[in-house]
């Protein structure tokens, strides 16, 4: 049985009225789905099968909620407009369906989760690099360490330097940026190095 300690902490911090609701749902989920995984999604307890969300519970100041991930497709769990989830604002364990009905909904939600398509990530072509300004190219030619660092960077990092230098409107600004870029590149720094560890 996979129990996530973060969910224990979430339930312990919930309002006293919500704890029995959250514990009851957790107990019924584990009874209906012995192979369920627990996780925290969007800072709320989530129950998952094969990496797909089956249900999420949440506790608020004055109510709790149970949301089946594909709840609109479940028989007998019409969405409630008053609150998140299919059962409206839950104020006590009595607001939940009986154990048999709740377990039926959990198993049905798990079956729907297993049939959910896996989202495919589309591969995007990287933006083409700008042409290197001749002055920048000349400055890098005189600084082999800076040139080696620039060439070793991934395209996105090189693009940041090229755009920064290339977008300067005045020659004076461009020369200043080139000097700074060569200095930073000689030190192995990316263009926005100040913000790397924020």
């Amino acid at each position: 049985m996979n129990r996530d300690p973060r969910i224990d902490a979430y339930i312990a911090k919930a309002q006293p009225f919500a704890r029995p609701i959250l514990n009851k749902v957790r107990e019924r989920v584990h009874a209906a789905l012995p192979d369920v995984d627990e996780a925290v999604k969007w800072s709320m307890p989530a129950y998952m099968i094969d990496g797909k969300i089956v249900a999420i519970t949440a506790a608020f100041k004055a109510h709790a909620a149970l949301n089946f991930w594909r709840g609109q497709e479940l028989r007998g769990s019409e969405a409630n407009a008053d609150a998140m989830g299919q059962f409206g604002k839950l104020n006590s364990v009595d607001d939940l369906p009986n154990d048999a009905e709740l377990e039926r909904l959990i198993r049905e939600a798990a079956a729907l989760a297993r049939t959910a398509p896996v989202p495919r990530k589309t591969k995007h072509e990287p933006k083409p690099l700008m042409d290197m300004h001749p002055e920048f190219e000349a400055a890098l030619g005189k600084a082999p360490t800076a040139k080696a660092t620039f060439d070793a960077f991934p395209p996105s990092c090189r693009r940041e330097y090229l755009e920064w230098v290339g977008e300067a409107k005045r020659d004076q600004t461009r020369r200043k940026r080139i000097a700074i870029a060569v200095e930073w590149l000689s030190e192995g720094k990316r263009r926005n190095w100040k913000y790397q560890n924020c």
Side-chain angles (χ1 to χ4, degrees), residues 91-164:
N91 297 307
S92 75
V93 174
D94 297 334
D95 294 337
L96 289 169
N98 64 48
D99 289 357
E101 178 64 9
L102 186 55
E103 287 184 29
R104 181 193 69 76
L105 290 168
I106 292 166
R107 281 192 289 275
E108 195 174 323
L112 285 169
R114 285 187 174 107
T115 63
V118 177
R120 288 186 284 159
K121 293 184 178 180
T122 56
K123 180 106 175 155
H124 295 287
E125 290 296 320
K127 283 176 34 179
L129 292 176
M130 284 179 70
D131 291 333
M132 187 178 289
H133 193 276
E135 290 178 28
F136 189 32
E137 193 168 7
L140 286 177
K142 294 176 187 172
T145 307
K147 173 83 169 122
T149 302
F150 181 82
D151 291 340
F153 277 156
S156 61
C157 293
R158 291 193 308 257
R159 184 179 308 107
E160 287 175 350
Y161 272 112
L162 293 174
E163 288 176 354
W164 185 53

Side-chain angles (χ1 to χ4, degrees), residues 157-175:
C157 293
R158 291 193 308 257
R159 184 179 308 107
E160 287 175 350
Y161 272 112
L162 293 174
E163 288 176 354
W164 185 53
V165 169
E167 290 173 353
K169 292 183 174 93
R170 296 178 11 206
D171 291 338
Q172 178 183 359
T173 304
R174 184 178 306 104
R175 283 192 289 276

